[in-house]
Amino acid sequence: MCGIIGYVGAEHGDDALEVLLDGLSQLEYRGYDSAGIALADGGINVHKCQGELSALKSALPMERLGGEKIGIGHTRWSTHGPPSDANSHPHTDMDEQVAVVHNGIIENYQQLRDDLTDAGVEFQSDTDTEVVPHLIAHYRDEGLDYEAAFRTAINRLEGSYAIAAVFDGIEAVYAVRNESPLVLGIADDGYFLGSDVPAFIKYTDQVIYLEDGQFARLTPTELVVTGENGRTIETSIETINWDPEDAGKSGYDHYMLKEINEQPTALRECFRGRLDELTGRIELSELGALKPDGMVTFVACGTSYHAAMVGTRLLQERGVPAQAFLASEFDSDAVPIDSESVVVGVTQSGETADTMRALREANSVGATTVAVTNVVGSSAARETDEVLYIRAGPEISVAATKTFASQQAALTLLATVFSDQYSRKLVQELRAVPDQIQSVLDTSSAREVAETYHGSDAYFFIGRGYHYPVALEGALKMKEITYTHAEGFAAGELKHGPLALVSEDTPIFAIVTGDGRLAEKTISNVKEVEARGTPVVAVTDGESNVERYADHVLKVPASSAVTSSIVANVQLQLVAYWTANEFGRSIDKPRNLAKSVTVE
Ligand code: F6R
């Protein structure tokens, strides 16, 4: 997930530099590995560097800039190639005829890169994006006009993209989208484009949402949207009624709620190019030929540890021995790992000190180490043998939400590949998860549940199998953002002690899906608490009769145990969010916590 912006000012329009820097500051939530701009004023003037936008601002030769009315900008979340000056956008062709910014993933870039290299192109970066300016330049050299060269190059791309380009020699920004967001803005004295409305809400609230396959041409006098066939499309202009102050959160009150709502998109990104529905195959080319020949050991902390528990069960069910350790408890003197072992660190940030220590210990005995992480170029990504990216996009809120879903999904892929047990049914179920989450987001009554029970003495969560880590995660989310005691239990453990805690003032959330053995047993545990007057909230797909014993029901679509646990967790995220909201807590930055814990 990167952020892009473009601007074409009319005669009395604003300075492009100011508009682009303003817009990028609103888009930094989409990534901040590097930032860059290209100003078009006769020639193309590119400025870019690794690091946050502030680094770009300090590097700009301000005395030589100003007055330009056309430009594009980018803030990067690395996917191909680590954060570096060279990998920063915009990218240009060899003669700097065209500069391009891109958000998305070009799946066939390697083939295109090989073809262009054979034709004599020298690449400057490791990115997938750089093929685009070289392709456009190729078609310009063949004699196509600006727009035709742009369109022909785009037609060669496979994957997801929102792309904007400026040319040397013409006052225009060309843009296109396919499966990555792109919105256009219309003001009296200029036209804008951005990955999201916040990029330009300060200047206009009149927007057009571009659709997949649509192209846009922005010039000082007109904004034209065309279809794949080149014909002009009549588009409708919408008025946005957000307060510009809230713009970075796309209109949500908190990043946490925004990120909860981003889960369908995050999961689609995680699956992109990795699932084959026809054969049931899952491709994780980044893992190469790695297949464990013995125990797989997971190390992780907090939410990531809950995902590691899911990974462990997935492998065990597929006949691969696996174990999960809290990274802070992992000790290679006590745990027999050696050069034959595979050790998987699950870490959103890739920087957590406890997890890094465990991975380094594993490296030191010669084990094969794998990072399952969200952050390209992170310590975990650099120091392990193999990396599986979860591709959730930046997560700003301290409480992990979308990255947990993406970790669960990525570990399902990893377990399938490690065990060599492919199934079309699983691939179909995985593909259905983003829509299932969307339906939960659209219909959830979690807010009413939160309003009913906020102020309770404590909250308990129970589940079995794949729902046990989700019970732990539900409790972690609740405690970290509401500051109220919450605890998750394996449902069967309740009777071995914790039952003494339950009262009329300690609602219990039971995750029960399907109507199999585990569901039946969890329902018995539900009956035990219900008989003691404890309010029960069932998170269920309605396949069993748990609703009979529940005071409230949070519905999820029916699916397999592992995929329904990803979806069920969303209901618990929403309950925690709305409960914390009732208390007016500092939801995105809970007290005493940090997003990345770099001390042991
Ligand atoms: C909870 C949360 C933490 C992290 C933990 C590990 O919402 O975010 O429990 O999961 O600190 O962080 P990573 O995954 O970055 O290693």
Side-chain angles (χ1 to χ4, degrees):
M1 190 158 108
C2 302
I4 71 171
I5 179 160
Y7 175 66
V8 179
E11 199 185 330
H12 301 293
D14 292 278
D15 235 27
L17 179 65
E18 190 186 317
V19 174
L20 298 179
L21 294 179
D22 239 31
L24 290 178
S25 70
Q26 294 300 330
L27 291 176
E28 263 200 307
Y29 77 87
R30 301 180 68 87
Y32 36 78
D33 290 337
S34 65
I37 55 169
L39 296 166
D41 184 21
I44 296 176
N45 208 344
V46 173
H47 302 275
K48 57 183 189 174
C49 67
Q50 181 183 346
E52 296 184 12
L53 182 61
S54 53
L56 173 70
K57 284 183 179 165
S58 350
L60 286 173
M62 295 307 271
E63 64 295 347
R64 287 193 278 118
L65 298 176
E68 298 89 349
K69 293 275 188 260
I70 298 176
I72 53 176
H74 189 269
T75 179
R76 180 165 188 249
W77 172 256
S78 311
T79 57
H80 291 73
S84 70
D85 288 352
N87 288 336
S88 312
H89 298 215
H91 293 284
T92 65
D93 62 300
M94 294 203 299
D95 301 328
E96 300 208 343
Q97 299 182 53
V98 57
V100 168
V101 290
H102 164 221
N103 166 35
I105 294 175
I106 296 169
E107 284 165 13
N108 61 336
Y109 86 99
Q110 193 58 57
Q111 182 59 51
L112 295 170
R113 188 176 171 122
D114 292 347
D115 294 350
L116 287 159
T117 306
D118 289 347
V121 170
E122 284 171 23
F123 279 80
Q124 305 298 319
S125 76
D126 311 317
T127 64
D128 52 341
T129 306
E130 200 190 335
V131 298
V132 183
H134 294 302
L135 271 179
I136 297 174
H138 166 78
Y139 290 114
R140 283 287 293 150
D141 293 344
E142 285 199 342
L144 299 191
D145 67 26
Y146 297 104
E147 185 155 346
F150 181 72
R151 299 180 84 96
T152 313
I154 298 301
N155 285 340
R156 301 271 315 267
L157 308 181
E158 287 166 22
S160 63
Y161 45 82
I163 288 175
V166 286
F167 287 89
D168 177 2
I170 181 169
E171 289 192 322
V173 172
Y174 291 93
V176 62
R177 74 156 269 180
N178 186 50
E179 295 182 24
S180 290
L182 194 58
V183 55
L184 308 174
I186 301 165
D188 287 343
D189 46 14
Y191 297 106
F192 302 78
L193 65 81
S195 298
D196 199 354
V197 177
F200 52 73
I201 186 106
K202 183 173 157 191
Y203 299 92
T204 181
D205 58 1
Q206 301 295 295
V207 309
I208 296 171
Y209 288 96
L210 213 62
E211 290 180 12
D212 282 351
Q214 293 185 339
F215 289 75
R217 183 178 72 246
L218 289 64
T219 72
T221 52
E222 61 175 2
L223 187 164
V224 182
V225 176
T226 52
E228 272 156 329
N229 55 11
R231 289 210 198 98
T232 303
I233 293 173
E234 288 302 319
T235 48
S236 57
I237 299 174
E238 293 179 36
T239 303
I240 297 288
N241 59 359
W242 299 343
D243 180 345
E245 287 285 297
D246 290 335
K249 299 177 194 132
S250 303
Y252 290 102
D253 287 342
H254 298 96
Y255 281 108
M256 180 177 177
L257 189 57
K258 175 170 178 284
E259 287 156 6
I260 289 172
N261 277 277
E262 280 172 351
Q263 289 177 112
T265 311
L267 288 174
R268 286 190 189 102
E269 277 306 314
C270 179
F271 297 148
R272 181 182 302 289
R274 291 170 167 171
L275 305 185
D276 185 337
E277 233 158 311
L278 276 183
T279 60
R281 295 281 305 182
I282 291 174
E283 283 302 330
L284 296 177
S285 48
E286 47 280 73
L287 295 184
L290 177 62
K291 289 276 184 286
D293 193 17
M295 178 71 79
V296 176
T297 301
F298 289 95
V299 288
C301 307
T303 293
S304 296
Y305 174 69
H306 301 149
M309 290 172 72
V310 173
T312 303
R313 189 176 175 101
L314 280 159
L315 282 169
Q316 288 169 344
E317 275 189 354
R318 286 159 176 75
V320 179
Q323 54 188 354
F325 286 87
L326 287 166
S328 53
E329 289 295 315
F330 176 80
D331 180 350
S332 58
D333 288 338
V335 181
I337 55 163
D338 55 29
S339 57
E340 301 296 302
S341 313
V342 173
V343 177
V344 182
V346 185
T347 166
Q348 184 283 130
S349 61
E351 302 295 347
T352 302
D354 291 321
T355 309
M356 286 313 301
R357 198 247 337 135
L359 284 171
R360 285 173 189 140
E361 267 189 43
N363 277 337
S364 71
V365 298
T368 302
T369 49
V370 180
V372 177
T373 185
N374 196 28
V375 180
V376 174
S378 58
S379 300
R382 282 185 278 109
E383 295 185 34
T384 49
D385 298 305
E386 314 291 349
V387 188
L388 177 61
Y389 288 113
I390 63 169
R391 302 182 187 161
E395 192 172 64
I396 310 290
S397 183
V398 165
T401 52
K402 63 175 178 172
T403 54
F404 181 59
S406 300
Q407 287 171 337
Q408 289 169 287
L411 289 170
T412 310
L413 307 187
L414 176 129
T416 309
V417 170
F418 271 6
S419 63
D420 248 333
Q421 293 189 20
Y422 298 98
S423 114
R424 283 171 56 194
K425 184 164 169 282
L426 177 68
V427 167
Q428 281 160 3
E429 282 168 357
L430 288 170
R431 277 251 189 264
V433 173
D435 287 345
Q436 290 172 346
I437 292 183
Q438 192 59 57
S439 82
V440 165
L441 293 170
D442 294 343
T443 59
S444 175
S445 54
R447 188 172 189 169
E448 289 149 39
V449 171
E451 282 164 5
T452 309
Y453 295 115
H454 87 276
S456 296
D457 286 349
Y459 300 88
F460 299 124
F461 298 77
I462 58 170
R464 284 173 189 254
Y466 291 106
H467 300 338
Y468 169 41
V470 169
L472 297 180
E473 177 61 11
L476 178 60
K477 232 56 339 168
M478 186 64 102
K479 68 183 101 170
E480 69 180 322
I481 62 167
T482 69
Y483 315 158
T484 310
H485 180 66
E487 227 174 316
F489 303 108
E493 274 296 292
L494 215 52
K495 57 186 177 296
H496 297 291
L499 204 52
L501 291 171
V502 305
S503 74
E504 285 166 15
D505 218 8
T506 60
I508 189 148
F509 291 78
I511 310 147
V512 184
T513 64
D515 60 355
R517 192 174 47 89
L518 295 189
E520 262 173 41
K521 289 189 182 189
T522 310
I523 293 169
S524 302
N525 306 129
V526 166
K527 287 184 200 163
E528 286 154 19
V529 294
E530 195 242 352
R532 288 160 175 86
T534 305
V536 173
V537 181
V539 182
T540 182
D541 54 7
E543 298 280 298
S544 67
N545 66 356
V546 67
E547 295 184 27
R548 197 180 296 167
Y549 310 100
D551 299 274
H552 294 270
V553 172
L554 294 170
K555 263 279 165 50
V556 294
S559 183
S560 69
V562 64
T563 51
S564 68
S565 75
I566 304 177
V567 184
N569 183 60
V570 176
Q571 292 282 22
L572 301 183
Q573 293 170 341
L574 289 168
V575 175
Y577 173 81
W578 288 116
T579 307
N581 198 56
E582 285 288 320
F583 284 122
R585 298 290 190 234
S586 164
I587 292 182
D588 286 332
K589 290 185 183 152
R591 69 182 182 200
N592 308 333
L593 300 180
K595 184 74 182 156
S596 182
V597 186
T598 50
V599 288
E600 284 186 49

